[in-house]
Amino acid sequence: MRNLVRSRKFMMGAGIAGVLAMLAGGQAVLHQHFIGSAQAQAPGDVMVPKFEVDPLWPKPLPNHWVIGSTIGLAADGQDNIWIIHRPATLEEKEVYLTRKQADCCTAAPDVLEFAPNGDLMHHWGKVAGHDWPSSNHGITVDNQGNVWLGANGGGQPAAYAPGSQAQFDAARAPRGARAPAPAATGGAASGAEGGPGGPCVEGKYHDSFMLKFTQDGKFLGEIGAANGSRGSLDKNNVCGVATIRFIPGTNELVAADGYGNHRVSVWDPVTMKLKRMWGAYGKPPTDLIIPHYNPDSPQFGNPVHCAQPSNDGLIYVCDRTNDRIQVFKTDGTFVKQYPLEVNTRGDGSAWEIAFSRDPAQKFMYVSDGSNEKIHVFDRASMKELYSFGGGGRQPGLFYAMHSIVTDSKGNIFTTETYRGQRVQKFIYKGMVPLSTLIKTGIAGSIINP
């Protein structure tokens, strides 16, 4: 009996040691097995960037904090990683501590900053005295260190605190007795298909603003105002901003303006005044309600989910549910369109875009939250080289992958919305032949390089 106990202890110890060894030194093993098999579609080879997931980044949060749907991501000038999430999206059983029903857990503050090693730094949430989103969406840090927030909530803010008993009682109430939902959906604004309409035009869309803060959460200013929008031609308000970025060289703010409007809008971040706007193909934006999933649509659909500037004077726009990327000059002149996974339905394929950090930004990375993978493109030719990822909960897999950024070392960071509720880091491991990724199973799919 004693020998049996010793044997069980040995096996348990060996198993734990094996898991720790895999987490500490076996990232390549993890990475090779979370990808589906790759199949080359054409002969030839090319040097491509290789990534390995870091399953221990970031470090655990303090205070029994957990994060909900994570829908904004930025890397600042010091390679610190900023995220914003939605505290009210946590389920009742995830936030017992909020109601003092158990030791765990409670929602983390809306905005969190992580050091490159994964330590939590700044953190803050709603502050009284100014507009605050009914549905957080998008974060960036400008070259002065200021933090900007977007938002996409069509409904009015809820009266209850996230995680409170009142929140979940309201969710269980009969439909007619419920307060309006605080978050917008990912679809088009209300109104008859083909005609104008929707809450942006009617001034009933709450999150028609962008907010500016210091890194410790002090309010600095606002573009637009709650319920202020009058549609896609409005020069004073936005309507459902998905992402905010800054154009290199000019420091102009460019917004994917986007969940209610059908446009890209460019703003002066000092005066907070509009400088220009455009819709699909560089045409004036409209508020016509159009169907999803049309890569040849004459206008942007909802949401316009990213507007990512490059170093060479271009802006890459994610028309998410039309399964396409459109490229413009910074003045709004249309350059070209690139379809992406055009058979994708649901939430569409083109979610967000990041570039490699070499001066030429040779590689473009596209987050695809429906097909659950990162597409790796040669940016000059716009040929897709390979993709990696897959659906699942393990490190390196995705559930509703949302945002994507790179840091100065070339590492990739991603967030996941809906029930994904996390941020992940993929370590840049240098350049390797594409054939190497195919042989190891890291590449998920290959398009003619």
Side-chain angles (χ1 to χ4, degrees):
M1 184 67 173
R2 185 175 298 170
N3 289 337
L4 178 59
V5 171
R6 287 177 179 169
S7 176
R8 286 179 175 172
K9 287 182 178 179
F10 172 79
M11 292 174 65
M12 182 179 296
I16 293 172
V19 170
L20 291 175
M22 182 178 69
L23 291 176
Q27 292 175 1
V29 174
L30 277 173
H31 194 77
Q32 289 171 20
H33 286 284
F34 68 64
I35 305 297
S37 61
Q39 294 184 0
Q41 300 299 316
D45 211 347
V46 63
M47 297 296 288
V48 297
K50 176 184 176 182
F51 299 94
E52 292 178 356
V53 67
D54 182 349
L56 301 180
W57 198 98
K59 295 179 182 178
L61 297 175
N63 308 319
H64 301 291
W65 285 347
V66 291
I67 59 176
S69 298
T70 309
I71 34 63
L73 180 64
D76 67 18
Q78 291 71 49
D79 280 345
N80 299 318
I81 301 300
W82 294 77
I83 68 169
I84 187 167
H85 77 110
R86 296 174 179 152
T89 60
L90 290 161
E91 294 181 348
E92 188 170 7
K93 297 180 186 301
E94 293 180 286
V95 285
Y96 279 134
L97 179 58
T98 307
R99 303 183 302 280
K100 298 183 174 17
Q101 295 176 345
D103 291 339
C104 192
C105 292
T106 192
D110 303 56
V111 175
L112 303 170
E113 178 196 13
F114 297 97
N117 68 356
D119 285 336
L120 180 65
M121 298 174 66
H122 290 100
H123 49 82
W124 41 273
K126 181 178 180 180
V127 179
H130 57 80
D131 288 333
W132 186 261
S134 64
S135 177
N136 298 329
H137 202 299
I139 187 170
T140 201
V141 183
D142 64 25
N143 59 13
Q144 304 297 314
N146 302 307
V147 180
W148 294 78
L149 304 182
N152 76 324
Q156 304 306 302
Y160 42 74
S164 66
Q165 192 63 51
Q167 175 188 349
F168 301 110
D169 287 345
R172 286 189 287 267
R175 183 173 296 274
R178 295 181 190 175
T185 68
S190 61
E193 183 177 302
C200 292
V201 176
E202 299 162 4
K204 297 179 181 179
Y205 195 105
H206 182 268
D207 291 353
S208 53
F209 53 83
M210 297 180 282
L211 301 174
K212 180 181 180 181
F213 296 88
T214 65
Q215 293 196 6
D216 57 3
K218 178 182 177 182
F219 177 69
L220 295 177
E222 180 175 9
I223 292 174
N227 300 303
S229 175
R230 292 301 182 270
S232 291
L233 297 178
D234 191 328
K235 296 181 180 180
N236 299 307
N237 301 277
V238 291
C239 192
V241 166
T243 63
I244 302 168
R245 294 291 186 254
F246 286 85
I247 300 175
T250 69
N251 198 38
E252 295 171 310
L253 184 158
V254 58
D257 181 12
Y259 268 85
N261 287 336
H262 300 81
R263 70 181 185 179
V264 174
S265 56
V266 179
W267 304 77
D268 187 312
V270 177
T271 66
M272 308 286 195
K273 300 297 184 182
L274 180 73
K275 301 190 75 172
R276 56 191 177 277
M277 70 176 93
W278 64 87
Y281 302 101
K283 299 184 297 186
T286 72
D287 291 301
L288 295 179
I289 307 306
I290 57 177
H292 296 299
Y293 319 126
N294 179 10
D296 297 315
S297 176
Q299 193 51 265
F300 288 139
N302 295 116
V304 184
H305 207 249
C306 85
Q308 182 64 46
S310 64
N311 291 338
D312 54 359
L314 299 173
I315 296 178
Y316 293 71
V317 177
C318 301
D319 192 359
R320 196 174 92 179
T321 60
N322 280 327
D323 297 331
R324 66 183 179 182
I325 295 166
Q326 289 199 339
V327 184
F328 301 86
K329 296 179 181 179
T330 56
D331 64 1
T333 301
F334 175 71
V335 176
K336 198 163 183 179
Q337 171 173 301
Y338 300 95
L340 180 69
E341 299 271 6
V342 295
N343 292 322
T344 305
R345 296 297 184 262
D347 284 322
S349 61
W351 288 48
E352 286 193 19
I353 289 171
F355 302 122
S356 58
R357 289 298 190 97
D358 55 287
Q361 297 179 317
K362 177 174 175 57
F363 299 104
M364 182 178 80
Y365 311 117
V366 182
S367 61
D368 182 344
S370 295
N371 298 296
E372 307 300 1
K373 56 188 172 183
I374 296 173
H375 301 271
V376 180
F377 282 82
D378 177 272
R379 190 171 71 90
S381 66
M382 286 299 287
K383 295 287 188 180
E384 185 171 355
L385 302 173
Y386 76 101
S387 64
F388 66 94
R393 302 288 188 178
Q394 293 81 4
L397 299 179
F398 303 111
Y399 176 33
M401 177 177 44
H402 191 275
S403 301
I404 186 167
V405 299
T406 54
D407 67 10
S408 68
K409 297 179 178 62
N411 303 313
I412 290 177
F413 297 82
T414 63
T415 65
E416 292 163 63
T417 186
Y418 306 141
R419 307 315 307 166
Q421 301 181 185
R422 64 176 173 176
V423 55
Q424 294 197 79
K425 177 181 181 179
F426 295 83
I427 302 171
Y428 172 63
K429 303 299 290 187
M431 302 291 289
V432 300
L434 179 56
S435 60
T436 300
L437 299 188
I438 297 173
K439 290 175 183 177
T440 57
I442 289 177
S445 62
I446 310 299
I447 296 179
N448 186 358

